[in-house]
Amino acid sequence: PPRRSRRIAGRPDATFDDLGVDVLALILGFLGPFDIMRSRVCKKICKVATTAIVPLTECKVDKIEKVHALRAMSTALANLQQLDIRSFGIGHHKYSDGEERDEEIASYYVNPTTHDIEILSSFRKLRILEIHYAPLNGRYPFLFQFPLLQKLK
C-alpha cells in the first residue's frame, strides 16, 4: 500500500518551524516539568515553555540537582502548578532559614550548603504545594502568598 504522508499545518511538506506557538504549547502540556526543561532545544520552544500551562503532575524536588533545576524552572516554567519539596537525604544541605529560626535546630547543621527556598515565590500559578521533611527552620510567610493555591500540605 502507498505510504500516507503526515501533514503539518495542512501541508505535506511542512516542517517543525511551521507549527504555531499555540500548537507547541498544547504539545508541551502533555509533558512533565522536567521533560519540558529537557525539550527546550531552540528559542521557539523556550518561548513556548514560558507560556505553556504545565499539567498537574508530581514534580518532586528531592535531590540537589533538582534544586538547581528549580532555579532554572522559576523563569522557564513560570506556570508550574504543582510542586513537592522533600528532604535531600543525608548530607549538609538545607534551605535558607526563615524568620524567627530555632537556634537549637540551626546548631544541628555545621557549615551547611544553603539553598534559597524563596525561589518558590516565582511560581505564581502554584495550585498544590507539598513539603515533606524538607530541612526548613523558622517561619516562611511567602508560602501563604500564592493567589491560586488550593492545597498546602
Side-chain angles (χ1 to χ4, degrees), residues 37 40 67-77 119 123:
M37 291 300 291
R40 297 173 349 128
V67 172
H68 297 303
L70 195 61
R71 182 174 313 284
M73 289 168 65
S74 68
T75 56
L77 295 176
I119 196 74
F123 299 106

Side-chain angles (χ1 to χ4, degrees), residues 57-115:
T57 56
E58 193 170 356
C59 179
K60 288 183 187 177
V61 179
D62 55 357
K63 298 177 183 173
I64 301 306
E65 296 82 17
K66 289 185 178 181
V67 172
H68 297 303
L70 195 61
R71 182 174 313 284
M73 289 168 65
S74 68
T75 56
L77 295 176
N79 294 332
L80 188 69
Q81 297 185 68
Q82 182 174 357
L83 201 52
D84 187 354
I85 306 296
R86 294 182 173 246
S87 170
F88 299 127
I90 298 173
H92 294 287
H93 293 273
K94 69 175 194 129
Y95 288 109
S96 53
D97 290 333
E99 301 170 4
E100 300 178 17
R101 70 182 190 150
D102 184 335
E103 295 301 327
E104 186 177 328
I105 294 173
S107 67
Y108 173 76
Y109 294 97
V110 179
N111 298 326
T113 302
T114 304
H115 304 282

